[in-house]
Amino acid sequence: MTDEPWHLSRSVPITFVFAIACQTAAIIWFAASLRNDIDSNAEEIIRLDARTSSLEVVVQSQAITLARIDENIKGIREHIERDK
């Protein structure tokens, strides 16, 4: 082995080096934007989870109210049929 430092051969075109540098920059940019999208989606999932929990409470309350209304209507019908 020789003790010469590493060097770029003149047979490698500068456009090839430039293309590799551009591809490397594009991959880094893509990875950064992908990470940003992942963070944004994680925040959205947390927000939607909280919203879903609050909606579940509301739906449960509405189901109880609907059951009460059904029982009231049933009672009213029975009362009307008794009076006939």
Side-chain angles (χ1 to χ4, degrees):
M1 286 186 80
T2 62
D3 290 333
E4 290 183 33
W6 183 88
H7 66 280
L8 184 62
S9 170
R10 291 190 186 263
S11 64
V12 177
I14 190 72
T15 55
F16 178 74
V17 173
F18 180 72
I20 295 297
C22 287
Q23 285 181 348
T24 303
I27 288 172
I28 292 170
W29 175 78
F30 175 75
S33 68
L34 188 62
R35 182 66 195 166
N36 186 34
D37 290 345
I38 290 170
D39 291 341
S40 175
N41 286 342
E43 291 172 4
E44 186 71 12
I45 287 170
I46 292 169
R47 186 184 69 79
L48 289 174
D49 187 41
R51 185 173 178 196
T52 301
S53 296
S54 66
L55 286 175
E56 286 173 348
V57 171
V58 170
V59 167
Q60 180 66 26
S61 174
Q62 287 177 346
I64 292 170
T65 302
L66 183 59
R68 288 179 182 161
I69 290 171
D70 285 341
E71 287 298 315
N72 286 339
I73 290 172
K74 183 179 173 184
I76 291 170
R77 280 187 182 154
E78 289 174 358
H79 181 71
I80 289 174
E81 288 179 5
R82 270 189 288 149
D83 288 345
K84 282 186 177 181

